[in-house]
Amino acid sequence: RAAEWQGGQPWGGRLRIPARGSTAFIRLEDKSSGELFAQAPVEQFPGIAVESVTDSSRYFVIRVEDENGRRAFIGVGFADRGDAFDFNVALQDHFKWVRQQSELARQDLDQGPKLDLGFKEGQTIKLNIANMKKKEGATGNTRPRPAGPGGLTLLPPPPGGKSCGERPPSLPGPARLPGTPITDSVLSWPQPSAPAAPAADAWGDFAKASG
């Protein structure tokens, strides 16, 4: 219980949680200089390295450890409940990532070593394609059929039919209409007759008239 903690003036600073491999480290540092005050390695969570108290969600007991391997349990409290929540989430996210990496490694072991199907240096392969050669005198057309627009295959013309490239038979010429001339097998309308030559001027030449 955090209410039962007794002591003098508590130490105040900042808390960071870096990670190295699968181990997270709770670092208590001076908030001005960044000097390390204490550090608690956490190899699993929840675990003995970090424990929450029974009477508050803002206080925890962590197991700190120095370079010589000596350990001690100290109490840590957050003034803001949101900071305590972030502390929990940071540790949960780290060990969630550790479990995912462990599952991926286990799946790789279960699948076994991958087969190397590539050619080694100097390795050759022999193919027997004698049956694929075209026999002499064989009938039939072995060329691929041309593909039409959109990837459709054009079918050959029916036996006895004519290909689409030939001209259709010529149509019978136009019927002659009575009294209508036909020129080059094309109907033409009668052309208007040329104007008659102008008749002699009944008035004579005005240039010769007097007055």
Side-chain angles (χ1 to χ4, degrees):
R1 292 175 56 86
E4 299 175 354
W5 293 353
Q6 296 180 359
Q9 182 69 22
W11 174 89
R14 70 182 183 188
L15 185 147
R16 292 194 308 119
I17 307 179
R20 185 169 61 244
S22 61
T23 304
F25 295 89
I26 301 175
R27 292 175 58 90
L28 303 178
E29 301 172 347
D30 185 272
K31 58 183 177 181
S32 300
S33 63
E35 183 181 359
L36 179 65
F37 174 75
Q39 177 174 268
V42 183
E43 296 180 354
Q44 66 178 23
F45 181 79
I48 193 173
V50 182
E51 295 181 278
S52 58
V53 299
T54 59
D55 58 342
S56 176
S57 61
R58 297 185 294 110
Y59 291 87
F60 303 86
V61 176
I62 64 175
R63 185 182 64 181
V64 297
E65 184 176 339
D66 63 5
E67 298 177 354
N68 299 324
R70 294 180 299 180
R71 298 175 178 175
F73 290 90
I74 63 174
V76 175
F78 295 91
D80 186 82
R81 196 176 302 276
D83 293 336
F85 176 80
D86 293 342
F87 173 75
N88 261 318
V89 170
L91 291 173
Q92 290 173 2
D93 287 348
H94 170 74
F95 287 99
K96 180 180 179 180
W97 173 83
V98 171
R99 288 192 298 270
Q100 291 176 348
Q101 296 300 314
S102 178
E103 291 175 359
L104 291 176
R106 190 181 303 110
Q107 291 177 2
D108 292 340
L109 293 176
D110 294 341
Q111 292 177 357
K114 297 182 179 179
L115 296 177
D116 185 8
L117 302 179
F119 285 98
K120 305 298 187 294
E121 184 178 358
Q123 185 178 4
T124 60
I125 185 172
K126 183 178 180 181
L127 298 177
N128 185 8
I129 58 175
N131 296 330
M132 299 175 60
K133 294 182 179 179
K134 182 179 180 182
K135 296 181 180 180
E136 295 182 1
T139 60
N141 188 5
T142 58
R143 291 180 299 175
R145 296 176 179 175
L152 298 179
T153 301
L154 300 179
L155 298 178
K162 295 184 178 181
S163 62
C164 60
E166 296 181 358
R167 293 185 177 180
S170 59
L171 298 176
R176 290 181 177 272
L177 300 178
T180 304
I182 302 298
T183 305
D184 296 335
S185 299
V186 178
L187 291 176
S188 61
W189 297 102
Q191 299 295 327
S193 58
D201 193 354
W203 295 96
D205 191 356
F206 282 99
K208 296 180 182 181
S210 58

